[in-house]
């Protein structure tokens, strides 16, 4: 099921879009605020983002630009003003399509479907089964293919290193104790040697961090454990 994020401050419009997309079995989330919408678009895994241009805190122009810097997902821009659409087209911020309000809900669904299938083709998955990715600030973890890329460069991790990294990144900003991580990744009770966790964290950092003394991804919370920072 494809996941859609709608960033729209007019609740009635957002609800209308949501209702219609849900009829076609899309899983839809709504965010009314620009900044929060941008955060969710980046941190959570959506297949497509529908963004209004005029929004509180951060506008749709900035949202397009920022999503595009990090993520390769379709962005559909919605605006009441044709001039704004012309403007965003001219700025080439990376939006894939534009719709002027008012639009028919069926047109919206048609465009969403078209862009999703286009991206699927571009990715060359073609099987209908999309790889599951976690992407946070330059790091891209392909959970399906079990591959890790940092700023586009592939890093080779061992099985347990990968499991540990994917687990931490999949639960961003949560602090886990070494015991919890040991239990989670090594599938044993916490009677094993939890120093294993420390060793693995060190190895992962050597592979993914620019400066292991100042890790930007996996942070040590002294006396507690680790967390993946976002
Ligand atoms: Ca608006």
């Amino acid at each position: 099921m494809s996941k859609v994020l709608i960033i729209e401050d007019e609740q009635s419009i957002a609800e209308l879009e949501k209702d219609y997309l849900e009829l076609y079995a899309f899983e839809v989330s709504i965010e009314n605020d620009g900044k929060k919408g941008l955060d969710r678009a980046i941190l959570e895994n959506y297949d497509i983002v529908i963004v209004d241009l005029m929004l509180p805190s951060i506008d749709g122009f900035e949202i397009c630009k920022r999503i595009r810097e990090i993520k390769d997902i379709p962005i559909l821009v919605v605006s009441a003003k044709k001039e704004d659409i012309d403007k965003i087209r001219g700025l080439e911020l990376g939006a894939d399509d534009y719709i002027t309000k008012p639009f028919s809900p069926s047109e919206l669904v048609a465009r969403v479907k078209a862009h999703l299938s286009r991206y699927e083709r571009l990715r060359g998955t073609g099987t209908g089964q999309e790889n599951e990715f976690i992407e946070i600030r330059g790091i891209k973890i392909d959970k399906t293919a079990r591959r890790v890329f940092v700023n586009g460069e592939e890093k080779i991790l061992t099985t347990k290193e990968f499991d540990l990294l994917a687990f931490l990144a999949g639960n961003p900003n949560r602090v886990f104790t070494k015991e919890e991580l040991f239990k989670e990744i090594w599938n044993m009770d916490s009677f094993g040697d939890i120093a294993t966790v420390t060793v693995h964290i060190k190895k992962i950092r050597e592979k993914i961090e620019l400066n292991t003394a100042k890790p930007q991804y996996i942070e040590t919370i002294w006396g507690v454990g680790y967390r993946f920072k976002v």
Side-chain angles (χ1 to χ4, degrees):
M1 193 192 294
S2 296
K3 291 172 75 182
V4 184
L5 176 65
I6 297 172
I7 311 175
E8 166 67 70
D9 58 331
E10 281 170 74
Q11 189 63 22
S12 57
I13 292 178
E15 293 287 350
L16 178 73
E17 293 174 0
K18 182 173 191 270
D19 288 349
Y20 219 82
L21 287 162
E22 281 176 349
L23 283 180
Y24 291 85
F26 288 100
E27 193 184 322
V28 185
S29 307
I30 295 175
E31 187 54 67
N32 302 118
D33 175 76
K35 170 81 175 71
K36 287 185 193 152
L38 174 63
D39 286 347
R40 289 183 65 179
I42 289 173
L43 298 177
E44 296 171 19
N45 281 316
Y46 292 100
D47 298 295
I48 185 166
V49 177
I50 301 173
V51 61
D52 179 34
L53 278 185
M54 293 305 131
L55 291 163
S57 72
I58 295 183
D59 66 22
F61 294 96
E62 184 68 18
I63 292 174
C64 271
K65 197 174 119 218
R66 301 268 294 274
I67 294 176
R68 191 48 80 229
E69 281 168 3
I70 303 177
K71 284 206 161 180
D72 191 22
I73 50 170
I75 305 171
L76 193 53
V77 168
V78 172
S79 177
K81 287 197 216 154
K82 192 176 172 302
E83 308 88 87
D84 285 337
I85 299 268
D86 293 339
K87 191 172 156 197
I88 197 163
R89 247 187 233 276
L91 289 171
E92 294 180 356
L93 296 175
D96 293 273
D97 204 354
Y98 318 87
I99 304 187
T100 329
K101 292 179 197 170
F103 49 82
S104 76
S106 55
E107 186 188 354
L108 179 77
V109 171
R111 303 242 192 144
V112 166
K113 281 185 175 174
H115 288 288
L116 284 173
S117 55
R118 188 172 65 86
Y119 266 69
E120 215 165 280
R121 280 200 308 276
L122 286 177
R123 286 196 188 114
T125 47
T127 54
Q129 185 82 47
E130 283 202 17
N131 285 16
E132 199 186 333
F133 292 102
I134 300 173
E135 289 184 85
I136 300 169
R137 288 183 294 107
I139 191 164
K140 183 171 175 178
I141 302 168
D142 183 337
K143 290 177 73 176
T144 316
R146 298 180 61 87
R147 296 171 78 184
V148 178
F149 300 85
V150 179
N151 299 321
E153 195 190 333
E154 184 163 16
K155 306 289 173 183
I156 309 299
L157 273 66
T158 65
T159 305
K160 290 298 180 199
E161 286 166 9
F162 181 87
D163 290 344
L164 187 54
L165 175 64
F167 177 73
L168 285 167
N171 295 279
N173 280 341
R174 267 186 62 188
V175 181
F176 293 95
T177 63
K178 288 173 192 171
E179 287 83 358
E180 282 169 333
L181 292 171
F182 189 79
K183 214 168 161 178
E184 182 68 36
I185 307 302
W186 280 265
N187 235 341
M188 287 177 262
D189 284 320
S190 53
F191 298 112
D193 187 5
I194 61 159
T196 308
V197 175
T198 318
V199 173
H200 277 73
I201 293 281
K202 183 169 175 285
K203 287 187 178 155
I204 295 169
R205 279 180 176 153
E206 283 164 4
K207 291 175 183 179
I208 66 166
E209 298 285 357
L210 208 59
N211 177 359
T212 52
K214 281 185 189 161
Q216 55 162 335
Y217 297 117
I218 300 175
E219 192 178 27
T220 301
I221 310 296
W222 293 108
V224 188
Y226 302 101
R227 73 165 175 185
F228 196 99
K229 245 189 328 195
V230 296

